[in-house]
Amino acid sequence: MNQHSPLNIWMQYVNDELPPEERERCEAHLDGCDACLELYMECIGQMADSLPALPDTDVFAAAVMQRWTEEQPLASEAEDTPANQPSESKRRIPWTQSPFFHYAVAAAITLLLMSTGVFHSLMGHPEPGRMSYSASDQTEAYVPFSEILLEKTIGLLDSIQPKHERGGTR
């Protein structure tokens, strides 16, 4: 649409009476033409005058409040449930489904994985362990933390287990 459209075309556009291709041309023309935009706004103003008046807000608010108060006793009757039937929100959930239990399990698994060095091996960083020195060649040998933990666990189990099960005399 290279030329300006007359007022009646814009009125048809506002009333949605134009064919789709003509509507698209009008929309494209509105983007760049201030004069036609003013005609369009004038058509909208004329259309607004023909619309019914807005309802009185005080009357509308009173009607809404009246309906709300009529429905309130129905809602309070629904809340009066017998004492032996717990409501949906007051039901107890099993302890295995509580968030605290899930956090505790997650923390325990994280501590276990951290103590075994799994995270350090995944990251490619050396595990926090100890360095031991070989007396013969004076070189450092790295001992992983997981091996230290394993040694301490075996030592603890050996101290608990009776000697005759370990191959001893008692």
Side-chain angles (χ1 to χ4, degrees):
M1 184 181 292
N2 294 333
Q3 58 189 6
H4 300 294
S5 299
L7 185 66
N8 65 345
I9 295 291
W10 290 116
M11 198 58 145
Q12 288 176 351
Y13 177 81
V14 167
N15 291 327
D16 199 21
E17 297 171 351
L18 292 176
E21 57 275 350
E22 184 70 22
R23 285 189 65 78
E24 289 176 16
R25 278 183 275 190
C26 287
E27 289 171 2
H29 185 75
L30 273 179
D31 286 339
C33 181
D34 291 336
C36 289
L37 182 61
E38 286 192 29
L39 286 174
Y40 171 70
M41 296 301 288
E42 183 181 326
C43 291
I44 289 178
Q46 290 175 6
M47 183 179 207
D49 293 340
S50 66
L51 292 175
L54 292 175
D56 185 18
T57 56
D58 294 332
V59 173
F60 178 73
V64 168
M65 293 305 294
Q66 176 66 31
R67 184 162 181 176
W68 183 70
T69 55
E70 289 172 358
E71 291 179 3
Q72 279 303 92
L74 299 175
S76 63
E77 289 172 7
E79 292 175 0
D80 296 334
T81 58
N84 58 359
Q85 294 178 353
S87 67
E88 289 287 326
S89 63
K90 293 184 181 179
R91 286 190 186 155
R92 294 192 57 137
I93 59 172
W95 63 273
T96 57
Q97 292 181 356
S98 73
F100 180 73
F101 175 73
H102 292 170
Y103 287 128
V105 168
I109 290 171
T110 303
L111 288 174
L112 176 70
L113 292 175
M114 285 177 61
S115 68
T116 59
V118 171
F119 293 131
H120 290 289
S121 65
L122 290 175
M123 297 292 290
H125 300 293
E127 297 177 332
R130 66 174 177 223
M131 299 297 228
S132 64
Y133 295 96
S134 173
S136 61
D137 57 349
Q138 296 295 328
T139 60
E140 292 182 8
Y142 178 73
V143 180
F145 182 72
S146 57
E147 192 170 314
I148 297 168
L149 186 64
L150 183 63
E151 289 173 8
K152 295 212 181 261
T153 306
I154 291 173
L156 178 67
L157 290 175
D158 283 345
S159 69
I160 295 172
Q161 193 176 29
K163 285 187 178 181
H164 69 278
E165 289 181 13
R166 289 184 283 167
T169 58
R170 193 177 129 206

